[in-house]
Amino acid sequence: MIDIEAAARLLDDAALHARAINQLTATEDFPVPDAYRIQRASIERRVQRGERRVGIKLGFTSRAKMVQMGVDSLIWGWLTDTMLEDDGGRVDLRRFIHPRVEPEVCFLTRRAIERPLTALEAKDYLGAVAPAMEIIDSRYQDFRFALADVVADNCSSAGLVVGNWARDFDGLRNAGVILRVDGRDVQIGSTGAILGHPLRAVVEASRLASASETVLPAGTLIMAGAATAAHPLLPGSHVQAVVNGVGEVEFTTCLTVGQTVAQNLEEA
Ligand code: OOG
Ligand code: MG
């Protein structure tokens, strides 16, 4: 059986030092429930260092993402406060290995989710929705992995940028989605690509959380999953996502000659 703590430490260190590791499944096959145990143990290490859970993210809710990564199961992972970047701000790529960006929508819950919700109920539990981008950064070499690997790696979670909150959920049906880099459209899609409707992601989130006996408190962020394939991030770029009728969100990238997260922590 795979050593859960050792695997969690390996992945956590890879993220801290921005250094890629070999896929865990290259040396040891392990089932997906063990992968979620590794994920939980690695988040626990972050919490021990002072990070705070702010929400969850779903992965592979669109066909575009499944096809790009060759994985066809819905997955979920945790978002922490240190992953949050400002809308309109500067994102330092120094702390990532090989980051990619993807256009998403983000929900904010207004009631605790303690059981699986139906599609009809989901809206009642939400306070707002915003255009968003997720920055993913697989801790595995060449951004390649099997399902168990990516789940153990907290579903490649690395950063998120959330735009202005809106309360109109009806505009989410088949809204056009554009990912723009330096003014050029690099990905075009629709919110309909996200499980048919992004609110379905909330239903799935409630199901997955309940199955793992996790309560999602009011004020939880839920990233619904990318509407399109992800796009590589390079320094010195202006990146923008537009979700028609919902809003826009943007950031610029830079690369400082600075320190990795691990070096910063050592000095703190
Ligand atoms: C896994 C994360 C997938 C999404 O939105 O589908 C994901 C990956 O592609 O590395 O975040
Ligand atoms: Mg994503």
Side-chain angles (χ1 to χ4, degrees), residues 57-58 102 104 134 136 226:
K57 57 88 60 93
L58 295 196
E102 42 191 34
E104 304 214 6
E134 187 180 24
I136 52 171

Side-chain angles (χ1 to χ4, degrees), residues 11-253:
L11 283 160
D12 187 45
D13 281 348
L16 276 174
H17 297 277
R19 261 201 311 261
I21 58 170
N22 288 326
Q23 290 178 39
L24 299 177
T25 57
T27 46
E28 191 161 2
D29 250 338
F30 56 98
V32 172
D34 278 353
Y36 278 106
R37 286 186 191 101
I38 296 168
Q39 182 192 109
R40 190 173 303 184
S42 83
I43 298 301
E44 203 41 56
R45 296 176 67 88
R46 284 175 175 263
V47 170
Q48 291 298 321
R49 280 198 299 275
E51 291 185 36
R52 198 166 49 81
R53 291 180 181 86
V54 294
I56 62 167
K57 57 88 60 93
L58 295 196
F60 303 130
T61 50
S62 68
R63 238 193 99 62
K65 280 290 302 182
M66 293 183 199
V67 170
Q68 183 181 32
M69 303 315 296
V71 174
D72 62 2
S73 304
L74 198 75
I75 57 176
W76 70 302
W78 287 94
L79 304 168
T80 71
D81 57 344
T82 61
M83 298 179 191
L84 284 166
E85 301 281 354
D86 291 334
D87 182 16
R90 244 155 49 110
V91 175
D92 191 345
L93 303 187
R94 167 91 188 166
R95 68 170 209 268
F96 305 120
I97 303 164
H98 36 208
R100 296 178 179 180
V101 62
E102 42 191 34
E104 304 214 6
V105 296
C106 184
F107 293 103
L108 178 66
T109 66
R110 65 182 185 91
R111 289 166 65 179
I113 299 178
E114 310 174 306
R115 61 178 175 82
L117 304 177
T118 65
L120 284 175
E121 289 170 325
K123 248 195 278 184
D124 284 348
Y125 283 75
L126 298 173
V129 61
M133 284 184 271
E134 187 180 24
I135 298 168
I136 52 171
D137 190 33
S138 176
R139 265 56 68 164
Y140 301 111
Q141 256 146 39
D142 305 324
F143 223 115
R144 290 170 59 86
F145 44 69
L147 177 63
D149 292 308
V150 65
V151 167
D153 186 25
N154 194 29
C155 308
S156 311
S157 306
L160 69 153
V161 188
V162 180
N164 289 332
W165 294 109
R167 275 172 213 291
D168 177 19
F169 302 106
D170 299 327
L172 285 176
R173 181 183 301 279
N174 288 325
V177 175
I178 302 170
L179 180 67
R180 235 173 238 150
V181 176
D182 295 330
R184 194 168 64 87
D185 296 356
V186 294
Q187 292 289 339
I188 299 177
S190 158
T191 55
I194 305 166
L195 299 172
H197 193 303
L199 281 174
R200 281 248 152 232
V202 178
V203 173
E204 290 301 325
S206 69
R207 185 181 61 77
L208 290 161
S210 298
S212 78
E213 288 167 9
T214 303
V215 172
L216 301 174
T220 295
L221 301 177
I222 301 177
M223 291 285 278
T228 71
H231 188 79
L233 271 180
L234 297 174
S237 309
H238 175 256
V239 186
Q240 184 190 39
V242 181
V243 183
N244 279 338
V246 180
E248 329 180 333
V249 54
E250 63 183 333
F251 62 90
T252 55
T253 59

